[in-house]
Amino acid sequence: MRSDLIPIWVAAFAAAIFGVWWIPIRYLENAGLHGAWGGLTMCGGAAVFAFAWLTISRQPLALSKHALMGAVLIGVTVSLYSTSLNYTDVVRSVLLFYLAPAWSKLIEWRFMRLPWHWSSSLTIAAALLGAFLTLGGEITGGALNFGDVLAIVSGLAWAAGAAFIFTADKPSAASLTAVATLSAVLVALPFGLASGVPLMGGEGAKTLSVAVGAGAIYVFPLLLMTLWAAQRISPALLTFLLSAEILTGVISGAVLLDEPFGMLQALGTVMIILAAVSEVFKGLRAAPAKSH
């Protein structure tokens, strides 16, 4: 395998697994960790493991300004996206997050001075049309609920965070993961407190231990792989590769949950995947723009 394709496959694999992120979130919700608490405790477990990893491997926590900003924004992404899964349909959350490709293309063009190709226009049009269809063909403010807004903002935070990480000096992926997970905890905390629901719900310590364990064995390695790839793949291409999450997330949500998924949502899924494919094929024809 060409070495320049390894980050592409790593990102796609991580995305496919991330697509079922909603399963532990909804499980923890049913077990008593309502709202933001499930994502917060999972990210807390990942943060503890990440900082322990840095300590054991004797890696310094050293990040440049760009890398630090990128890691913080990725934490914002994880926190808002996790919380959105408890406030809107899984399919809507996944698909609205994937307005991120459109944000990434605009960031690359406006701030990174990358050229605008025909595929860039296709990306924007397909992503926006996909979101429109996902919302049932409505464009009024009433079409968006709280979870929808969180999903859209999380996609914007992802696009900006990926751009910061790609343009930063090479930081350790473990350092990025440690800061991202800590950021996710801090961002989720106000949402949890504002909900008025106590953290120790359900079966208490047992539920918390499951959440922390899921953070260590699920969230930490997936974020580590994703952030490692983010250093080596342009933000738009990375975001499109992560659209593998659409397939696993939408399919699993539609099959396992009793949530609305009709013709408009199916067409929206197709349009967003079309946007992804247009950029991925262009990226695969050439080596990634940056390697380390």
Side-chain angles (χ1 to χ4, degrees):
M1 179 188 295
R2 285 168 42 189
S3 61
D4 59 349
L5 293 181
I6 293 176
I8 291 175
W9 289 112
V10 168
F13 172 77
I17 306 302
F18 261 131
V20 294
W21 178 283
W22 67 267
I23 293 179
I25 292 294
R26 290 292 182 90
Y27 169 83
L28 294 173
E29 168 85 9
N30 293 331
L33 291 178
H34 301 288
W37 291 127
L40 184 152
T41 50
M42 285 175 63
C43 289
V48 169
F49 196 87
F51 280 102
W53 178 283
L54 289 173
T55 301
I56 293 172
S57 62
R58 297 182 179 180
Q59 296 183 47
L61 182 62
L63 296 175
S64 65
K65 182 180 178 180
H66 269 207
L68 178 62
M69 285 295 298
V72 168
L73 285 169
I74 296 302
V76 172
T77 297
V78 171
S79 182
L80 296 185
Y81 179 66
S82 297
T83 304
S84 77
L85 291 167
N86 287 319
Y87 291 99
T88 191
D89 295 341
V90 168
V91 170
R92 287 168 70 102
S93 184
V94 171
L95 293 178
L96 290 175
F97 171 82
Y98 275 96
L99 280 174
W103 310 139
S104 291
K105 289 308 301 181
L106 291 171
I107 287 172
E108 286 188 358
W109 171 69
R110 177 64 180 83
F111 298 104
M112 299 173 66
R113 302 293 190 239
L114 295 183
W116 189 272
H117 299 290
W118 67 266
S119 62
S120 303
S121 298
L122 176 60
T123 292
I124 300 292
L128 292 177
L129 178 57
F132 172 73
L133 294 171
T134 299
L135 293 173
E138 297 182 51
I139 57 175
T140 62
L144 295 172
N145 59 43
F146 180 61
D148 295 338
V149 173
L150 291 181
I152 292 171
V153 175
S154 70
L156 179 58
W158 166 264
F164 273 118
I165 290 173
F166 182 71
T167 56
D169 293 334
K170 183 184 178 183
S172 112
S175 293
L176 290 171
T177 303
V179 172
T181 50
L182 179 59
S183 168
V185 170
L186 295 176
V187 171
L189 186 58
F191 287 97
L193 296 174
S195 70
V197 179
L199 172 60
M200 294 293 286
E203 299 182 40
K206 178 182 177 181
T207 302
L208 286 176
S209 65
V210 170
V212 170
I217 65 176
Y218 177 69
V219 178
F220 172 74
L222 288 180
L223 273 180
L224 188 70
M225 287 188 287
T226 301
L227 293 173
W228 178 83
Q231 299 171 286
R232 295 161 171 82
I233 303 174
S234 71
L237 178 54
L238 176 65
T239 300
F240 286 113
L241 288 169
L242 293 183
S243 64
E245 179 185 345
I246 296 175
L247 295 176
T248 55
V250 168
I251 291 173
S252 62
V255 171
L256 299 177
L257 298 174
D258 185 21
E259 294 183 348
F261 188 79
M263 181 60 68
L264 287 178
Q265 287 73 25
L267 290 174
T269 302
V270 170
M271 293 307 300
I272 291 174
I273 292 176
L274 173 63
V277 169
S278 70
E279 188 70 16
V280 170
F281 281 174
K282 182 168 70 72
L284 288 174
R285 286 198 297 267
K290 182 178 181 181
S291 59
H292 295 292

